[in-house]
Each structure stands twice: as structure tokens, then as C-alpha cells.
Amino acid sequence: MPLDLSFDDPTSDVLLDPTTGVRRSILPGGVRLLTQTDRSVRSATIGLWLPVGSRDETPAHAGSTHVLEHLLFKGTRRRNAMDIATAFDEVGGDSNAVTAKEHTLYYGRVRSADIPMAVDVLTDMITASLLEQDALATEREVILEELAMAEDDPTDVGFETFLADVLGPDTPIGRPVGGTAESVQALTIDDVRAHFAEHYRPENLVITAVGDLDHDEIAGLLQTGLRRGGWELAEGALPDPRHRTAHHEPAGGGLTVDPAEVAALAPHRLGRPTEQNHIFLGGHGLTALSEDRHALSVLMSILGGGMSSRLFQNIREQRGLAYSVYSFSAGYRDAGLFGMYAACRPGRTSQVVELLAEELTRMGEQGIDQLELARAKGQITGSFALGLEDTSSRMGRLGTIELVHGRYTGVDETLARIGAVDVDDVSALATQLAGSFSTRVEVGPES
């Protein structure tokens, strides 16, 4: 049986899954380490996670998490920016980082022989980065170009607008991960250093590693690297408590909604000189920990998850109204969203919007058939299984288990939960979501 492990669990070292070799330890300083040893490969992926993201920023410091992520590649007391870049390039590996709403991740993928180098560089970056004014001045310009690039993409613009409206534009979770050009311009090096000092601590750190590796060796390398960077790793220290997750359900409560009424929602119109109108339609969804999250995966697959999905077949294949059309969802600690996207010529917008709403409403009212259910489960489980062949995907899965779920879920258990979803689960959730439509965003040429 899987073990229930939380931050205050007294067990400091446990083999979570003897079959797949997943092991979890609490190291000195409260550092958490999860590994999966796989001798069938000759490489490893290592991720260093901090449970801090854009939602943890104050409005005045919006974008500081993303700026800090960039600056950690610009030099430490032992390495300059070129040293950090070449360390992975010269061994054929790669490294990068991701800032999200609820976490920041620094990772590297290398041959197993180069694991000591990867751990040394990554721990050096998160403990001993110089965070200099000159680096901020340069990297600020890079980030402003990154934001400008997103502004040139109507899909990015529409999604960020949609997400902000559903989650709340004035809430921490509704703000853009990268901040705005104005907030990034206003950040000072003292702001960034304060953000680093507050969040980059051993009791906040989670390391996940998968591949041709030894757990105890990784643990030793990590402690050496973190101490070399100046972190004090106290024996017996416990990790910081996990952020609590509030229960949240979509606002609709299972109401039946007329698709024509949904199509009449006043859209957020963002004029752009494009040939198509980019449409986002949806509302509140499920949290990352909702018991219905597996049913949601099945629903999204049937609704708009591939070429056999309802939206693709109805709007593109049968009617030729759009080239790109799909559904999506996102879950966070205490909020979630669902949506549908389509891009079409402006004159077709009203028809496409109504068809989007109609398809989800029909799933709730008329249900789905067993063939659709089987096809969706096959798509999800097949994609899941293929992902397990990639050490980077497995590394990410372990990070999510530790930071979000706090409980190890084996592959067989996950597959069993997906397999347990039935037609009634999907239709009930479709009805619930169809009653939650709240937001329509359009990005395209002015009419």
C-alpha cells in the first residue's frame, strides 16, 4: 500500500515503492529528497524545487520570482554566467528553469557520469548567486523582450486575459507569472535579494532525481553542495509545512445553461491586427487535489483532447470552421479553471462560440458513450505510460507528488483511478462545468 507522508511525518527515510525504486528522505536542514533509480538508462534528470511562485509576490514586486530565476544563471561566487552555461553544454547535457504560479524549478539532465557536476552547479546557483545590479540591468531587458514576445502572440495574450478574469485580475494567482513591463521595470536589486532571502532556504527545498543514480550518493552530493554555498543544514530540522489547499467547486453547481446565453456573454475584446479571431470560453474548474480530477482528464480528452475529440470533429472536420480547436484545464491549490479555444475568421465567431458551449452542455445532458470513454482512457493511460519512459517526466511527477499531493501515488494506483471513471462521472462533471461559464475572451482584428 502507498504510504501517507506529510511534511510533519517523522519518517526521515523510506522506500516508497520497492517495485519502481522510489525513495524519500529528509536530509539535514529539512531538505527533502525523492529519487527513483533506473539502471536501464545511462542518464539522470535532477530538479531543485522551491514552493514559491508568482502568487507569493506582493503587487509591488510582481515578477520578482521570474526575475530571480533568470538571475540565478548569471553568476555565483565560484562561477560566472559562461561557466554555468558551458558546464552542461560541454558534456552534452542541458539545464533550464521554470517559474510557475506556485513553484520554481531548476533542473539539469546529464549522463550518469556527470551527476556530480550537475548537482554542484545547481546547488551553487540556488545558494551562492551574486544577484548583482549589473546582471539585473541586463536581464531586465531580456525579460522585457520575453514579455514583448508574448504580447505578439494572440494565443498568449488571450490565455493570460482569460486566466486573469476567471481567477481574478487583482488576486495574486490571477496576475501574470512574469509580471508586467511596468512592475519589472520597477524592481530593484534589493527587492530581488529580499525575495531570495525569504524563500530560498533548506527547509523550503525539494530535490527530485530520476535515472541511473544512487540515492545515498545524491544525498551526499547535495549536502556538500548546499553547505559549500553557505547554507546551514541543521540535523533534525523539519521541512516547512505544505501550503494548505481549500476545497473549491465550480460556481455553477450543476445548472443547465442555454448555449445561446453563453454565446451572448459580453467578450473581453483585445484588438490585434490578425487574420483570425482567437476565442477563449470557460470558467471556474477544479483544484489540483479535487477528487474529480481524473474524471476531468477524461472529460477534457473527449471534449477537445485530440483529433477524435468532439470539438475537433464537429467544428473542424464536419463544418470546417476552424483549424485549431481544443479544450484545456488548470488546477491550483485552491482554484482551478476550464476552457475551450478556437481560432477562426472573424465572421464565424458567433457560430463557433455557440458550438463550443453547446458541445459541453450536450455532454452533460445526453452523456457520453462507452466507446468515447474507452478511447479517452486509452489516450490518457497511453500518454502517461509513454511519459514514464522519460526521466524528466518522472522527475516532474515526483516533484508534484511532494509539493502538491503530499502522498505517494504509484503508477498502478493512478491507472486504477483513471480506469474507475465511468460515464456518469463524466456527464455529471460536464453538467457542473457547463453551469460555470463566466468568461469569454476574443483577440483579433477590430470589427
Side-chain angles (χ1 to χ4, degrees):
M1 292 294 290
L3 298 174
D4 222 359
L5 292 172
S6 60
F7 283 128
D8 56 0
D9 190 286
T11 305
S12 61
D13 193 345
V14 63
L15 186 63
L16 294 172
D17 192 334
T19 304
T20 59
V22 177
R23 182 174 165 189
R24 178 184 187 263
S25 297
I26 300 176
L27 306 181
V31 175
R32 284 151 287 169
L33 171 63
L34 290 86
T35 67
Q36 181 180 16
T37 300
D38 181 356
R39 300 300 184 188
S40 70
V41 298
R42 292 294 176 264
S43 64
T45 304
I46 302 162
L48 278 62
W49 305 72
L50 283 305
V52 55
S54 58
R55 72 174 300 176
D56 300 295
E57 302 161 346
T58 63
H61 295 163
S64 57
T65 308
H66 183 228
V67 170
L68 177 58
E69 174 227 300
H70 275 244
L71 289 185
L72 262 58
F73 286 86
K74 307 312 291 183
T76 71
R77 291 191 295 269
R78 294 194 289 129
R79 293 177 172 89
N80 60 32
M82 188 63 175
D83 293 332
I84 293 172
T86 58
F88 286 88
D89 284 351
E90 66 188 7
V91 298
D94 62 80
S95 67
N96 212 329
V98 176
T99 302
K101 289 188 178 293
E102 297 184 329
H103 70 261
T104 308
L105 166 65
Y106 303 86
Y107 64 91
R109 182 168 178 261
V110 293
R111 297 176 304 171
S112 50
D114 298 312
I115 289 174
M117 176 279 295
V119 172
D120 188 43
V121 173
L122 292 170
T123 54
D124 191 28
M125 288 168 56
I126 70 161
T127 58
S129 284
L130 296 176
L131 304 180
E132 295 179 313
Q133 176 62 48
D134 288 349
L136 174 61
T138 301
E139 208 60 24
R140 191 199 313 272
E141 296 304 314
V142 173
I143 292 170
L144 291 174
E145 292 297 335
E146 184 179 357
L147 296 178
M149 182 173 66
E151 283 293 317
D152 280 345
D153 186 335
T155 308
D156 279 355
V157 170
F159 180 74
E160 286 292 349
T161 305
F162 174 83
L163 188 148
D165 188 81
V166 174
L167 300 179
D170 299 320
T171 64
I173 196 170
R175 293 196 299 264
V177 169
T180 64
E182 293 75 20
S183 67
V184 171
Q185 287 278 22
L187 281 173
T188 69
I189 194 63
D190 288 338
D191 295 331
V192 178
R193 288 170 178 167
H195 191 70
F196 176 83
E198 179 180 358
H199 297 289
Y200 282 61
R201 300 174 284 108
E203 56 269 33
N204 242 2
L205 180 62
V206 171
I207 299 100
T208 60
V210 175
D212 182 20
L213 53 81
D214 179 80
H215 181 95
D216 293 326
E217 179 184 357
I218 294 285
L221 292 170
L222 286 166
Q223 293 176 72
T224 298
L226 295 173
R227 288 191 170 108
R228 182 181 292 150
W231 278 13
E232 294 183 7
L233 304 181
E235 293 290 342
L238 293 176
D240 276 353
R242 180 179 290 104
H243 291 294
R244 297 300 179 187
T245 302
H247 183 70
H248 173 84
E249 293 294 351
L255 300 175
T256 300
V257 175
D258 186 340
E261 295 177 2
V262 177
L265 279 171
H268 291 265
R269 287 284 301 139
L270 294 95
R272 290 290 192 280
T274 60
E275 296 298 320
Q276 291 182 305
N277 200 24
H278 298 261
I279 305 160
F280 293 81
L281 179 69
H284 289 285
L286 306 179
T287 69
L289 290 179
S290 171
E291 291 298 319
D292 293 327
R293 65 185 184 275
H294 299 296
L296 179 62
S297 296
V298 173
L299 187 156
M300 286 290 129
S301 174
I302 296 170
L303 179 63
M307 293 175 65
S308 64
S309 69
R310 290 188 173 197
L311 292 179
F312 193 94
Q313 286 295 314
N314 186 11
I315 294 176
R316 172 173 162 158
E317 295 296 280
Q318 296 175 21
R319 302 172 188 265
L321 293 173
Y323 177 79
S324 180
V325 56
Y326 56 83
S327 62
F328 59 89
S329 64
Y332 306 100
R333 304 196 284 269
D334 50 6
L337 59 86
F338 78 96
M340 293 170 283
Y341 165 84
C344 63
R345 282 175 281 171
R348 298 175 165 186
T349 297
S350 296
Q351 183 183 6
V352 169
V353 170
E354 186 162 352
L355 288 170
L356 291 173
E358 188 178 273
E359 204 59 68
L360 180 60
T361 302
R362 184 183 297 115
M363 286 180 69
E365 293 177 345
Q366 301 177 14
I368 63 170
D369 60 43
Q370 290 291 343
L371 180 60
E372 287 182 305
L373 180 67
R375 190 164 55 225
K377 289 181 179 181
Q379 182 188 51
I380 295 166
T381 56
S383 177
F384 180 67
L386 291 174
L388 294 177
E389 296 185 359
D390 177 7
T391 58
S392 297
S393 295
R394 283 183 280 168
M395 179 277 294
R397 182 171 184 267
L398 291 182
T400 301
I401 284 171
E402 179 65 31
L403 289 178
V404 178
H405 298 286
R407 175 185 180 276
Y408 178 73
T409 304
V411 172
D412 289 343
E413 182 181 355
T414 299
L415 294 177
R417 291 185 176 187
I418 295 168
V421 174
D422 60 28
V423 293
D424 292 336
D425 296 329
V426 177
S427 61
L429 183 56
T431 299
Q432 189 176 30
L433 295 180
S436 302
F437 282 111
S438 64
T439 299
R440 173 180 164 186
V441 173
E442 296 177 16
V443 184
E446 297 287 1
S447 56

